[in-house]
Amino acid sequence: MEVRPYRSGDDDTLYEICLKTGPGGGAAFTDPRILGEIYVGPYLAFEPDLAFVVEDDDGVAGYVLGARDTRGFEKLCEARWWPRLRERYPVGSFPDDTIDARFARLIHRPPVARDDVVAEYPAHLHIDLLPRTQGRGFGRILMRRLLAALHDVGATGVHLGVGATNTNAIGFYRHLGFTVLHENPSGLTMARPTFLP
Ligand SMILES: CC(C)(COP(=O)(O)OP(=O)(O)OC[C@H]1O[C@@H](n2cnc3c(N)ncnc32)[C@H](O)[C@@H]1OP(=O)(O)O)[C@@H](O)C(=O)NCCC(=O)NCCS
């Protein structure tokens, strides 16, 4: 088992992990790429040095991805990531009530982080591990790698979004020193400084 920096050949596996660790294990999606196009692709394209993976004999099984400056990242995605996807997934690509349609809508209206959040915690992250690597300390190792890398590039605070029902992840983040900044029925925004004692 090894934690290492992301390499360009990892992309497809990271997209698959994103799907499998996503809503309902990805089973309800008709398009297996759409989640990765939102939550993985732009990080690999624009912040490859802030991507780390965990790998075992069966291959890559988890990742953490970061963006050092959320506002700058949103602008970069608006200029260089979303336009291509908006062409690939025009409005109405999927029947309205499907999970694919829910995420396709995000491509056309991506969420924007709150001003008060990015003022103190300018970076953000995503972390996902397949079940075979969960609960064995690799989430913590990946998180520490990213926090150190973010700190090295000058990002002093990092935030993340987590679903309100994802009690496992919320417990993990709390245990690692994240606190809740905002809460609504669908999810929480949590954050912490990147400094590691
Ligand atoms: C959430 C997730 C990233 C955690 O990673 P992990 O590898 O399972 O966690 P670790 O084994 O590294 O745990 C690190 C520490 O957190 C603690 N911890 C983990 N889950 C916890 C929980 N629910 N409550 C309290 N503490 C928890 C562990 O006990 C461990 O403590 P220690 O290092 O002090 O002994 C991982 O389980 C995962 O990817 N889950 C599915 C996808 C997901 O939900 N991603 C987050 C989307 S926002």
Side-chain angles (χ1 to χ4, degrees), residues 10 43 45 52 61 63 66 71-72 77 88 90 116-117 122 131 136 148 163 167-168 179 184-185 195 197:
D10 296 329
Y43 299 85
F52 301 93
Y63 60 76
R71 220 32 111 222
C77 289
R88 179 148 34 118
D116 62 326
V117 171
R136 300 170 61 187
T167 49
N168 180 55
T179 55
N184 66 41
F195 176 73

Side-chain angles (χ1 to χ4, degrees), residues 127-129 134-140 161 166 168 171-173 175:
I127 183 168
D128 289 308
L129 285 80
Q134 289 172 15
R136 300 170 61 187
F138 291 101
R140 181 191 270 283
N166 194 348
N168 180 55
F172 166 78
Y173 294 135
H175 190 73

Side-chain angles (χ1 to χ4, degrees), residues 63-78:
Y63 60 76
V64 67
L65 309 172
R68 70 196 71 187
D69 165 20
T70 298
R71 220 32 111 222
F73 186 78
E74 287 166 354
K75 289 194 183 117
L76 206 48
C77 289
E78 201 48 56

Side-chain angles (χ1 to χ4, degrees), residues 21 134 160-176 178 180 183 185-188 190:
T21 57
Q134 289 172 15
L160 58 86
V162 55
T165 57
N166 194 348
T167 49
N168 180 55
I170 293 168
F172 166 78
Y173 294 135
R174 280 192 198 281
H175 190 73
L176 267 60
F178 286 79
V180 176
E183 190 165 0
S186 64
L188 280 64
M190 302 181 76

Side-chain angles (χ1 to χ4, degrees), residues 26-196:
F29 285 86
T30 56
D31 185 317
R33 301 277 296 178
I34 193 166
L35 263 196
E37 293 287 16
I38 297 168
Y39 296 109
V40 174
Y43 299 85
L44 304 183
F46 303 137
E47 292 281 32
D49 297 341
L50 297 176
F52 301 93
V53 305
V54 56
E55 185 170 32
D56 64 12
D57 290 344
D58 293 324
V60 171
Y63 60 76
V64 67
L65 309 172
R68 70 196 71 187
D69 165 20
T70 298
R71 220 32 111 222
F73 186 78
E74 287 166 354
K75 289 194 183 117
L76 206 48
C77 289
E78 201 48 56
R80 291 177 39 203
W81 192 261
W82 302 128
R84 181 180 61 84
L85 286 178
R86 286 172 187 150
E87 268 179 35
R88 179 148 34 118
Y89 299 103
V91 175
S93 302
F94 303 100
D96 248 3
D97 54 352
T98 58
I99 194 156
D100 304 78
R102 197 175 110 207
F103 285 94
R105 282 193 282 275
L106 288 183
I107 289 169
H108 293 273
R109 247 183 312 133
V112 174
R114 292 169 53 136
D115 285 336
D116 62 326
V117 171
V118 294
E120 197 168 353
Y121 303 97
H124 75 272
L125 68 84
H126 297 287
I127 183 168
D128 289 308
L129 285 80
L130 290 177
R132 72 173 192 263
T133 35
Q134 289 172 15
R136 300 170 61 187
F138 291 101
R140 181 191 270 283
I141 295 171
L142 284 169
M143 189 67 86
R144 286 186 69 90
R145 280 291 283 269
L146 178 65
L147 290 172
L150 284 170
H151 197 262
D152 284 351
V153 297
T156 52
V158 61
H159 72 272
L160 58 86
V162 55
T165 57
N166 194 348
T167 49
N168 180 55
I170 293 168
F172 166 78
Y173 294 135
R174 280 192 198 281
H175 190 73
L176 267 60
F178 286 79
T179 55
V180 176
L181 296 185
H182 296 289
E183 190 165 0
N184 66 41
S186 64
L188 280 64
T189 302
M190 302 181 76
R192 64 155 282 164
T194 55
F195 176 73
L196 288 166

